[in-house]
Amino acid sequence: MSGNRQEPAPPTRRPLAIVDVGSNSVRLVVYECLSRSPRPIFNEKSLCALGKGVATTGHLPKAGVEKALAALRRFRVLSDIMGVSVLHVIATAAARDASNRAEFLAAAAEAIGAQVTLLPGDREAELSGLGVITGINRPDGVVGDLGGGSLELIDVIGAHAGEGTSLPLGGLTLMDASGRSPRAAVKIVREALAGSRIAERLAGRTFYAVGGTWRALAKLHMSQRNYPLAVTHGYAIPAPNAADFAGLVERANTETLISIDAVSAARRPLLAYGAVVLDEIIRRARPREVMISTTGVREGLLYEMLDMEQRRQDPLLVAAAQFNRLFSRAPGHAGELCDWTGGFIKSMHVEETLEECRLRHAACLLADVNWRAHPDHRHEESVTIVENAAFLGVDHPGRCFLALAASYRYLGVDADISPRIRALVSARMLDRARILAAATRVAYVISGAMSGVLPLTPLTCVKTTLILTLPQGLADLVSERLQNRLKQLARLIGREPAITIAG
């Protein structure tokens, strides 16, 4: 990435919104602008249970319709207040399957003041697949989007989504069709999946779980493990472990589960049905792992609106660059730090994979975003940003790498950083985080976080020596502090430190 690195241009703030009329809830999400890394500035849902009873009665329930229309009227006012420039309204399984859908869609359009697009099942699956492509770096597997009314399945690999399918296996639909019996729901799910060819292509790959019920299951699993991160996006569970956990949720009384408080009361009745679907998919298709994606239909719709150049951007780097522009002392310094550390890594003659390169780039972009915090707490601020920011395109080991690089940068490379965070990265990633942090500690001592210095002061490995070269005009930067930090870095990579004054 060094040498031809290009930062995406800053987006123009022009709020746009998507209203999602689903089987379980009606949701308004307002995004700051159209971007490869869409950032919500407002997110509100109303639990309307539009799909309740549709599987057995064929009608949208009166109470659910009234709640949905009230929510849509509220969302119309909120969109006007926020200056939303583009408003997309989509409806999914509940409206799709109901005999009174035409009447409801007309009332919904009047309430929200915009056309409502009813998504066919295969179209909903396609958008779910694009949503995972938006949020997961180079996905390879099958997306399963579980809503209240249906389950959409679609194969994804890289930036390509295949043909999708929709099955009547949503949580509310299963609850109604099974007579509120998770045990009876097993047979329904098993029969529906038997005819799905997409599930047959999942063996040994990743199953990307999309939807509120599966996110709730992930939160519950994370809480029971006392997991160190709170963000569910990118959370991965080995398939056998996921099947065991799903089986537990199927059998147990939901209220007796450890850490059930992590799940909202309104979502708990659907957990068992989500667990049934997940368990049966794992047993039938045998994926390698289950990964949670918080990006789905809405983000897929935004992805479709991007041009090809924007689609090729890296969402992690787009978000990190935005943090850098907004919060760094000298935003240009981050790019120079990326090139400077890139030259250093290259001179070591060690392999840097594409993933390692992009994580290093992101770490450089985030290196100075917390400078306004008190010096004693910059480490904590950095870790909080990395662990909790709505970054896309990064898995949990990648988040932990960024957190470790920030921690070692402020606390020193010999600090005893959280064992729980260290446990989520490989030995190689831990070593790379320490080396990057040690190099960053040198960079900030000689540059003061300002642009224009690092290009004049290369850091290179020559045989057994680590050499920092300073021009004559910067010779007075040499200090005991600089020498100690250079020694620290040299010790990590097994070389002797040296400072050379050029010219």
Side-chain angles (χ1 to χ4, degrees), residues 108-347:
E110 182 179 358
I112 192 65
Q115 179 182 351
V116 180
T117 300
L118 181 62
L119 299 179
D122 56 352
R123 172 63 173 158
E124 188 177 353
E126 179 187 23
L127 290 176
S128 295
L130 294 178
V132 168
I133 289 169
T134 296
I136 303 293
N137 186 45
R138 297 194 299 275
D140 182 1
V142 170
V143 175
D145 188 344
L146 182 69
S150 61
L151 168 70
E152 279 66 49
L153 296 170
I154 188 166
D155 194 291
V156 295
I157 182 166
H160 176 71
E163 292 185 10
T165 188
S166 182
L167 303 174
L169 299 179
L172 290 173
T173 298
L174 278 178
M175 185 184 291
D176 292 338
S178 66
R180 291 182 170 267
S181 168
R183 183 173 296 181
V186 171
K187 181 180 178 181
I188 297 172
V189 174
R190 198 166 287 170
E191 290 176 352
L193 289 176
S196 172
R197 294 182 178 180
I198 291 178
E200 296 173 357
R201 298 200 292 268
L202 183 52
R205 302 168 75 200
T206 299
F207 180 68
Y208 299 102
V210 178
T213 299
W214 280 340
R215 287 197 303 274
L217 283 173
K219 285 182 180 179
L220 186 59
H221 190 264
M222 293 164 76
S223 295
Q224 292 192 355
R225 292 179 60 195
N226 195 24
Y227 191 72
L229 302 185
V231 173
T232 56
H233 184 73
Y235 180 61
I237 314 173
N241 295 355
D244 289 343
F245 181 69
L248 169 65
V249 176
E250 285 179 53
R251 297 189 304 272
N253 181 324
T254 301
E255 297 302 321
T256 67
L257 294 171
I258 297 172
S259 301
I260 189 59
D261 289 344
V263 179
S264 69
R267 183 70 68 178
R268 292 174 196 174
L270 298 176
L271 286 179
Y273 301 95
V276 167
V277 177
L278 183 61
D279 192 16
E280 290 302 317
I281 287 174
I282 293 172
R283 292 179 185 279
R284 177 177 179 80
R286 301 190 180 281
R288 182 182 76 257
E289 64 178 0
V290 175
M291 179 176 286
I292 302 298
S293 172
T294 60
T295 53
V297 169
R298 292 184 297 272
E299 290 74 23
L301 188 60
L302 295 178
Y303 183 84
E304 273 196 333
M305 297 166 65
L306 300 172
D307 59 38
M308 292 307 298
E309 182 179 352
Q310 289 173 308
R311 292 186 189 185
R312 286 191 289 267
Q313 292 175 350
D314 187 320
L316 172 62
L317 299 185
V318 168
Q322 187 173 29
F323 269 84
N324 176 55
R325 284 190 299 268
L326 290 173
F327 302 120
S328 294
R329 283 170 282 192
H333 181 268
E336 294 177 357
L337 179 62
C338 183
D339 291 340
W340 189 80
T341 55
F344 160 61
I345 295 292
K346 185 177 181 180
S347 75

Side-chain angles (χ1 to χ4, degrees), residues 466-499:
L466 173 65
I467 302 173
L468 175 64
T469 302
L470 302 177
Q472 187 67 46
L474 298 179
D476 288 339
L477 286 174
V478 178
S479 66
E480 183 177 354
R481 189 182 187 205
L482 174 58
Q483 290 172 332
N484 287 339
R485 291 196 173 187
L486 193 64
K487 284 179 184 178
Q488 220 178 26
L489 175 58
R491 178 168 55 84
L492 277 179
I493 62 175
R495 286 170 168 83
E496 292 297 321
I499 297 177

Side-chain angles (χ1 to χ4, degrees), residues 342-364:
F344 160 61
I345 295 292
K346 185 177 181 180
S347 75
M348 287 176 63
H349 299 292
V350 297
E351 178 193 13
E352 183 178 54
T353 66
L354 180 62
E355 178 65 10
E356 290 167 345
C357 182
R358 67 189 290 268
L359 287 175
R360 176 175 57 81
H361 189 174
C364 291

Side-chain angles (χ1 to χ4, degrees), residues 37-40 231 233 315 319 323 385-392 394 399:
S37 181
R39 184 176 300 278
V231 173
H233 184 73
F323 269 84
I385 289 173
V386 169
E387 289 186 356
N388 299 309
F391 291 142
L392 302 180
V394 63
R399 278 186 186 269

